[in-house]
Amino acid sequence: MSSLINFLNPKLKPSVESDAVCEDGYTAANLVADDMEQLERGFMCFAVCKPPIEIVFDFPKAVDMKVIKLWPSCGALRSTAFELHGRHDGIWERVAFVRDLGRGVDSVTFCYQSDYNSRSSSNSEQSEKVFFFKSAHKILASTNSVKVVIRATERCPPVLRKVQMWGLPARSLDKADRELVKSIWSEISDPYGQRDAAQTPTGQRSPPRHVPELREQSTLSIPEEFLDSITWELMIFPTVLPSGKVVDQSTIDKHAEEEAKWGRQPSDPFTGLEYNAQRKAIINLALKARIEKFLMEHSEHFKAVPRSLGTSRLRRRHASQFASSTCQPGQISPAAGTYSALSSAYKQQQRKSRATATATSSSSAAISSGASPHSPPAAKRARHSHQGSSSACATVTSAATTSIDQAIQQALQKVTRFSQLATNSSTAGAAPPPPPSSCINCRSAQFGYEIRTCRHLVCRECLVLLSRDQQCVCKVFFRGADVERYHKLDP
């Protein structure tokens, strides 16, 4: 079954209506809100409202509805009976219902019995499956509206914490409209890696993993931290999950693909919590480097060790993610700036030395070609030219060495230093050493932090005071990420 689309995503512009009187801040608009705080708040009627309560969801384009998932509880409040209606030719018709939901049921999933697969679905006791009626296909195959009716509650006002409606663009739509909806959904789901998963070949759920295999006679034991927590195989791209477990990226892709088959967002395999901006999987580059070092040091125990682990496509994807997370737009990391400065200065000096050597060789050649009648014999001229060329080579070599030293010194001057030793000048007439650094606020020598935006040093007590207004003494604003530890070295 192809991946489904959540048509209640706010990027797809759904709308919701309800005639019930709601509590302040708990209106039906929260069910399709773009703000995460409103979305988690859910829908709650006023205390005096009684069932039935109708909530109508409208879509801009016709939808072929496949799965509808409801979360009936909101804290201690719980709704126990629901009905689903679809509008066909302007008439509302019931397509499914459920009653007497137990207290242990956290969510209710409505789907077709023909699409239900007990082996692929979760066997959690907190989720209940309900099948659509047999006549529901002609209603939900091309519908613009779905109505959820809360029929009964557990001695409380009607509540609904969350709703998801998964399906595909209806076949009655034009091809351009169907492609437009799919392209919008691909942009929404791309941050979770679904675009790369959709580009894998047919029958292959994740990119191939070239895992080095141990030789049959090898007795090498692989450290446990290098193994996937689920598959117990050597990891290629170790990734830290929000739960703290470390698994390979291919394991996450397989799990996300299985979740997408049933209309669920990618989530942590251990906790089941969906990924978001604050809770997401992060690649562990330090552990990946240790795994590669381990393979290089024990390469004789493996059948074949690649030069770099993983496929080229995955390497490019994770390299771009790492670069985007470490380098902000308009900023260059110190390491990158050092290397670029060194390489550019060295190349500039090399061009100058080559130009000097070319001019020297051309002048010597002109002098030797324009020999006077009183010039020495040919053998002596050859010997002198050889000596001149060797001296020119020595000059070029010394110039290149000097240019490298100059390039290194120029690059080191541009490197950001977080500690500075006091230099004792023994030469006569040297300038006096600069005054010792101190806190910009209290002028204390016990400083330990640096504000990167204004390059001022502060102590811990003053940093706490300045962080309240996020403004330095020099009236320059800063954030918490702009403050770094300053390591002071005693002379």
Side-chain angles (χ1 to χ4, degrees):
M1 186 176 70
S2 58
S3 299
L4 302 180
I5 300 174
N6 181 16
F7 284 92
L8 290 187
N9 190 287
K11 297 295 191 306
L12 297 177
K13 305 300 181 182
S15 60
V16 59
E17 294 181 359
S18 178
D19 296 335
V21 180
C22 303
E23 291 282 354
D24 292 340
Y26 291 88
T27 61
N30 293 344
L31 300 175
V32 294
D34 196 5
D35 185 27
M36 186 60 63
E37 182 179 355
Q38 295 182 11
L39 191 63
E40 293 178 354
R41 196 176 300 167
F43 168 79
M44 182 187 304
C45 291
F46 195 62
V48 298
C49 294
K50 301 296 181 181
I53 298 297
E54 297 182 355
I55 307 173
V56 180
F57 297 90
D58 295 322
F59 312 104
K61 301 291 183 179
V63 177
D64 182 8
M65 196 62 62
K66 299 292 185 181
V67 179
I68 298 177
K69 191 170 183 179
L70 308 177
W71 281 262
S73 62
C74 185
L77 309 180
R78 176 180 298 274
S79 301
T80 58
F82 293 92
E83 286 185 2
L84 297 183
H85 297 256
R87 184 154 57 185
H88 180 65
D89 294 336
I91 301 175
W92 289 104
E93 297 188 22
R94 192 172 67 169
V95 295
F97 74 93
V98 62
R99 296 174 182 173
D100 301 330
L101 293 175
R103 297 188 60 86
V105 177
D106 182 66
S107 62
V108 182
T109 303
F110 298 88
C111 61
Y112 291 103
Q113 188 172 6
S114 57
D115 295 337
Y116 177 72
N117 187 353
S118 58
R119 293 176 298 177
S120 301
S121 62
S122 60
N123 295 326
S124 175
E125 296 181 357
Q126 297 182 351
S127 180
E128 182 169 336
K129 295 290 187 302
V130 180
F131 299 131
F132 291 128
F133 299 156
K134 293 183 179 180
S135 60
H137 179 72
K138 67 176 183 179
I139 302 171
L140 298 179
S142 180
T143 182
N144 290 83
S145 302
V146 173
K147 181 168 62 176
V148 178
V149 182
I150 303 176
R151 283 292 180 182
T153 62
E154 195 176 66
R155 297 180 180 179
C156 65
V159 295
L160 186 58
R161 178 163 58 95
K162 190 177 178 181
V163 183
Q164 289 181 354
M165 296 187 180
W166 298 83
L168 297 171
R171 295 184 180 181
S172 59
L173 296 177
D174 296 337
K175 183 177 180 181
D177 294 336
R178 294 198 301 268
E179 294 298 330
L180 177 61
V181 175
K182 291 181 180 179
S183 63
I184 295 175
W185 178 250
S186 63
E187 293 177 0
I188 297 172
S189 58
D190 182 59
Y192 303 105
Q194 291 301 303
R195 182 172 299 175
D196 289 339
Q199 293 177 355
T200 55
T202 304
Q204 182 178 335
R205 295 183 299 178
S206 60
R209 299 202 317 153
H210 303 285
V211 181
E213 298 181 1
L214 288 172
R215 299 182 183 273
E216 297 179 357
Q217 65 275 15
S218 175
T219 59
L220 177 67
S221 60
I222 301 177
E224 185 176 341
E225 59 180 341
F226 296 165
L227 301 179
D228 192 307
S229 300
I230 296 179
T231 62
W232 212 245
E233 295 180 352
L234 182 64
M235 291 183 289
I236 302 302
F237 281 100
T239 307
V240 182
L241 294 171
S243 59
K245 302 290 185 179
V246 182
V247 298
D248 192 79
Q249 180 63 37
S250 62
T251 305
I252 298 178
D253 293 340
K254 292 177 183 178
H255 180 263
E257 188 175 352
E258 291 296 330
E259 292 291 295
K261 288 182 178 180
W262 293 99
R264 295 188 288 265
Q265 289 279 13
S267 58
D268 192 321
F270 290 90
T271 62
L273 298 177
E274 297 179 358
Y275 299 138
N276 54 28
Q278 293 78 25
R279 184 175 59 245
K280 58 184 177 181
I282 302 175
I283 184 172
N284 192 341
L285 295 177
L287 181 57
K288 181 179 183 297
R290 292 170 58 191
I291 295 175
E292 292 187 353
K293 181 181 178 182
F294 175 79
L295 293 176
M296 292 173 61
E297 293 176 350
H298 303 86
S299 58
E300 67 276 4
H301 295 275
F302 295 89
K303 295 181 180 180
V305 178
R307 183 175 180 180
S308 181
L309 297 181
T311 61
S312 60
R313 180 170 60 81
L314 279 177
R315 287 200 301 270
R316 289 195 298 269
R317 188 179 77 179
H318 290 295
S320 63
Q321 291 178 358
F322 176 71
S324 62
S325 62
T326 55
C327 297
Q328 299 178 357
Q331 297 182 355
I332 303 177
S333 62
T338 303
Y339 177 76
S340 60
L342 178 60
S343 60
S344 60
Y346 176 70
K347 290 179 180 179
Q348 185 176 2
Q349 293 292 340
Q350 283 292 93
R351 285 195 295 268
K352 292 182 179 179
S353 61
R354 288 175 184 174
T356 305
T358 304
T360 305
S361 60
S362 62
S363 61
S364 62
I367 293 173
S368 60
S369 61
S372 62
H374 303 284
S375 60
K380 186 176 289 187
R381 287 201 307 269
R383 185 168 62 254
H384 284 311
S385 64
H386 176 70
Q387 292 177 357
S389 62
S390 61
S391 62
C393 292
T395 304
V396 172
T397 304
S398 61
T401 304
T402 306
S403 64
I404 293 177
D405 295 338
Q406 294 177 356
I408 293 176
Q409 293 298 329
Q410 293 177 4
L412 290 178
Q413 292 176 2
K414 300 179 181 179
V415 176
T416 303
R417 293 287 301 273
F418 296 100
S419 60
Q420 183 68 35
L421 291 174
T423 57
N424 298 325
S425 178
S426 59
T427 59
S437 302
S438 60
C439 175
I440 187 63
N441 189 31
C442 63
R443 303 300 178 183
S444 172
Q446 302 298 327
F447 55 87
Y449 298 89
E450 181 184 21
I451 302 176
R452 296 177 58 187
T453 54
C454 58
R455 315 299 295 181
H456 284 153
L457 304 176
V458 293
C459 61
R460 184 178 182 86
E461 292 77 7
C462 295
L463 178 61
V464 174
L465 297 176
L466 297 177
S467 298
R468 296 175 182 175
D469 299 331
Q470 293 187 350
Q471 186 178 7
C472 184
V473 180
C474 61
K475 306 301 181 182
V476 176
F477 291 93
F478 66 92
R479 299 177 301 173
D482 298 330
V483 180
E484 290 187 351
R485 288 282 300 179
Y486 186 92
H487 301 282
K488 179 182 177 183
L489 297 180
D490 297 329

